Amino acid sequence: MSNKSRPLIAVSTDVKPFENYIWHAAPEQYLAAALDVAQVIPLLVPGMGGKMDPETILGGVDGLLVTGSKSNVNPALYGVTPDAAFEPYDDARDATSIPLIRAAVDRGVPVLAICRGIQELNVALGGTLATEIQELEGRQDHRAPQSESQDERFGLQHKITIAPGSCLAEILQSATIDVNSVHRQAIDRLAPGLAVEATAEDGTIEAVSVRNAKGFVVGVQWHPEYWVRTDAPSRMIFKAFGEAVRAHKATRTA
C-alpha cells in the first residue's frame, strides 16, 4: 500500500522534561507497528490539555492509538487520593488523552489502547484502577523483570484467557495466548459500557472492548507493539486495528 493512500491516525504522547525543554513524545515501537503492520500514518498529538480540541483532531484522522507509558493515570481522576507511591504522573497527558478517548468512542473512531491506554480508556468511561496490584493478595507481580535488556523486560511472561465470542476471540482465533507484563496498575471497577475481553490467571483484566460500540474500540494491558514482527497475536491485533481504520476512512469519505 502506498503512503499516499494510507489513512492517518492520532497517537497519544507523554510530556517529559529533557535537555532543558518540555518534550511531547511516543516510543518508536508503537509508530513502527502502526506504519509497518497496521499500514497507517501515525501523527503525534501534543499533550497540551484543553488547548487541544478533540473534535478538531478526530475530524482529520481515522483512528486513535493510545500508547503505554511509565507514568500512571492520576488517581484523583477516579476518586483516589494521589500518593507518591503511585507516581510518576503525567497530568498533561491525562488532560489530553482522556477527552480524546471519550470523543473517539462517541464518534465511532477506531481506538487501540495499550497498557496505560487501557487504563485511560477505563477511567475515561467511568471506571477505576487498582494501584500497585503486586501488593494485593492473590495477584501476580505484573511488573517487568529487573533487567537492562528490553527484550527480557518485554518477554512473554504469562497466559491470558480470551473471552469466547469476544472481539479478540474473532481477531486471534484462539482461547489463550502468551503476553508480556509491564505494569503496576490495572482495572479495578470496570467502566459501564466496557466488556471484558481477556483475563490473566489471577483475575487481572487484560483486555476490554466497548459494548455496542460505533466502531472498533479495544484496550489491552500488555504490549503487542513490542513483538509485532515476530509474535502472531501481536501482529493480528495491529492488522485488525488497521483494517478498522481503513473501513472508517471509507465510510467517512464516501
Side-chain angles (χ1 to χ4, degrees):
M1 180 183 297
S2 72
N3 284 339
K4 289 183 179 180
S5 64
R6 294 187 182 194
L8 306 177
I9 65 164
V11 181
S12 64
T13 58
D14 298 335
V15 181
K16 295 178 177 290
F18 180 66
E19 293 184 339
N20 296 319
Y21 291 97
I22 300 298
W23 292 76
H24 299 251
E28 184 173 310
Q29 283 89 348
Y30 297 92
L31 309 179
L35 277 166
D36 299 337
V37 179
Q39 296 198 340
V40 297
I41 303 295
L43 300 178
L44 301 185
V45 177
M48 304 293 285
K51 296 179 181 179
M52 305 297 292
D53 177 48
E55 296 299 330
T56 300
I57 295 167
L58 296 173
V61 301
D62 290 291
L64 172 62
L65 176 60
V66 191
T67 63
S69 174
K70 183 177 181 179
S71 67
N72 289 322
V73 178
N74 194 308
L77 295 174
Y78 52 90
V80 174
T81 302
D83 189 289
F86 309 148
E87 295 177 357
Y89 302 136
D90 187 341
D91 293 331
R93 169 167 170 158
D94 292 340
T96 309
S97 59
I98 288 178
L100 196 55
I101 290 168
R102 291 189 186 119
V105 172
D106 287 344
R107 289 176 66 116
V109 174
V111 178
L112 177 58
I114 295 174
C115 196
R116 189 193 207 273
I118 189 179
Q119 297 166 15
E120 289 171 291
L121 173 63
N122 191 55
V123 171
L125 301 184
T128 66
L129 304 178
T131 57
E132 309 304 327
I133 60 171
Q134 68 277 359
E135 298 175 2
L136 300 178
E137 185 176 354
R139 293 291 189 99
Q140 300 169 226
D141 189 341
H142 286 258
R143 293 173 297 181
Q146 294 292 324
S147 175
E148 294 298 316
S149 165
Q150 284 291 81
D151 283 359
E152 290 182 9
R153 294 185 69 249
F154 283 86
L156 303 182
Q157 294 190 44
H158 65 83
K159 289 188 180 298
I160 62 169
T161 300
I162 312 297
S166 65
C167 178
L168 271 185
E170 183 177 347
I171 292 169
L172 300 176
Q173 295 295 302
S174 179
T176 63
I177 62 169
D178 293 317
V179 300
N180 49 27
S181 191
V182 190
H183 63 103
R184 297 156 46 205
Q185 296 194 141
I187 290 174
D188 186 9
R189 187 182 74 245
L190 189 68
L194 287 184
V196 175
E197 293 264 326
T199 55
E201 293 177 353
D202 65 355
T204 298
I205 295 174
E206 291 280 346
V208 299
S209 62
V210 172
R211 293 193 185 95
N212 304 314
K214 297 176 184 177
F216 177 103
V217 183
V218 171
V220 298
Q221 185 58 76
W222 69 96
H223 287 267
E225 81 287 348
Y226 195 85
W227 297 111
V228 75
R229 298 183 188 281
T230 58
D231 178 62
S234 298
R235 192 172 187 86
M236 289 174 181
I237 289 169
F238 270 91
K239 289 187 72 173
F241 175 57
E243 290 166 4
V245 170
R246 283 183 286 279
H248 182 266
K249 180 182 179 181
T251 299
R252 186 171 67 88
T253 58

